Amino acid sequence: MLLPHQQDTDHVRRALRNLLEEPPALVGRTHHAQQSYWHCTPAGLAEAAVSGELAPTTGRTTGERIAASKTGLREHGLALVDTVIAFHQAQVADRADWRVEAPHPTPAGNLLPVGVVLLNNGSSAFVEIDRTMSYARLVAKLERYDYRGAPPSGRGNAARPPRSHWQETYAGPSLDRPFPPVLFVFAPARRRAAPDTREVAFHERARRVGSMDYRLTVATTILPLLTKYGAGRAVWLVVGNGRSEERRTLAALPKAR
């Protein structure tokens, strides 16, 4: 939002205030952890959609998503913002190196990670934010991450055979990078068990997933721990049979085979 010839953010805040005063308001503002967050209102989203300036989305808003917007989508978004900031401040990944809900083709249909982050070492990681999802749905989504058996989507040539989606996207030109780790962040939510309690319960269920035999690297943390110490510190707990219960740094996570 910053223009090359501008040296501060005053013009941005002025523009946002003008949009806030539009009838109806095109943006809204909320406060969280002594920070001010601006967001599009439904009227603002509609205005942006008809402007022709936005790339087409992969799908339409469903009734379930509209209902979620009234019952906690804002809090979910704020938890994602806090996660992005924790990665950025720890210099693990720049805040601009995130993709949200990018579709990934699997045999069971598109998988939509909450976020995909490009880490500063050139590798990537899938990030899931959980506040209210049931354990059954979390585990079901986890199982879909092992989609390496999907048929190749890339085009081959005389120099190399066709590659699958994950190889084309994440493995690098020489296929030397392992499958990205899947990182779960458990955030506080009203009328739900505490994040650390949900984290333990998730581990008990996720260990039964067949892909935990080193085909996937899955690690978890809780949002209070992540925001306090940062994404680069030993805040990640690895999921899997026989693995250490001590929290690790991102760099110390085991690599998927």
Side-chain angles (χ1 to χ4, degrees):
M1 296 180 67
L2 300 180
L3 302 177
H5 62 280
Q6 297 288 351
Q7 300 299 316
D8 54 48
T9 60
D10 288 345
H11 70 290
V12 175
R13 288 195 292 268
R14 184 165 54 252
L16 290 171
R17 286 194 295 268
N18 290 339
L19 293 174
L20 183 64
E21 295 171 358
E22 288 283 336
L26 300 182
V27 300
R29 179 169 57 179
T30 186
H31 300 280
H32 176 68
Q34 299 181 341
Q35 297 282 346
S36 181
Y37 295 94
W38 294 84
H39 57 87
C40 281
T41 62
L45 290 173
E47 187 76 15
V50 301
S51 69
E53 297 295 328
L54 298 179
T57 58
T58 57
R60 296 182 178 179
T61 301
T62 63
E64 180 181 357
R65 194 162 182 81
I66 293 173
S69 68
K70 301 177 181 179
T71 58
L73 190 57
R74 182 186 69 174
E75 287 74 14
H76 179 88
L78 290 175
L80 175 59
V81 168
D82 288 339
T83 300
V84 172
I85 291 173
F87 274 74
H88 179 79
Q89 291 181 339
Q91 298 183 344
V92 172
D94 189 85
R95 60 175 175 262
D97 290 333
W98 286 76
R99 291 182 296 144
V100 178
E101 294 190 347
H104 291 66
T106 78
N110 276 343
L111 169 68
L112 292 177
V114 170
V116 182
V117 56
L118 177 64
L119 304 174
N120 58 10
N121 62 3
S123 63
S124 299
F126 299 114
V127 179
E128 293 290 343
I129 310 293
D130 175 65
R131 295 181 61 255
T132 60
M133 191 177 292
S134 69
Y135 298 123
R137 290 179 62 192
L138 282 174
V139 172
K141 189 169 189 179
L142 172 60
E143 290 178 324
R144 293 182 61 193
Y145 269 102
D146 194 7
Y147 71 102
R148 286 174 289 184
S153 56
R155 293 183 178 179
N157 52 43
R160 64 169 177 82
R163 298 174 177 176
S164 65
H165 174 267
W166 90 267
Q167 290 172 327
E168 288 283 357
T169 310
Y170 301 112
S174 58
L175 300 183
D176 57 341
R177 295 173 187 157
F179 192 81
V182 185
L183 308 176
F184 284 83
V185 179
F186 292 88
R190 294 179 182 178
R191 297 184 294 277
R192 290 283 180 173
D196 53 348
T197 300
R198 300 207 313 276
E199 183 184 35
V200 170
F202 173 74
H203 274 253
E204 293 175 354
R205 291 161 173 80
R207 288 191 184 102
R208 305 167 192 166
V209 176
S211 299
M212 292 300 98
D213 57 355
Y214 298 99
R215 286 173 57 84
L216 281 178
T217 297
V218 182
T220 66
T221 190
I222 60 174
L223 188 59
L225 202 61
L226 183 67
T227 55
K228 181 178 181 179
Y229 296 107
R233 301 288 292 276
V235 299
W236 303 99
L237 195 59
V238 177
V239 175
N241 292 322
R243 290 179 178 166
S244 172
E245 294 298 327
E246 294 182 357
R247 293 189 184 271
R248 307 185 186 188
T249 64
L250 280 176
L253 294 181
K255 305 298 183 184
R257 292 179 181 175

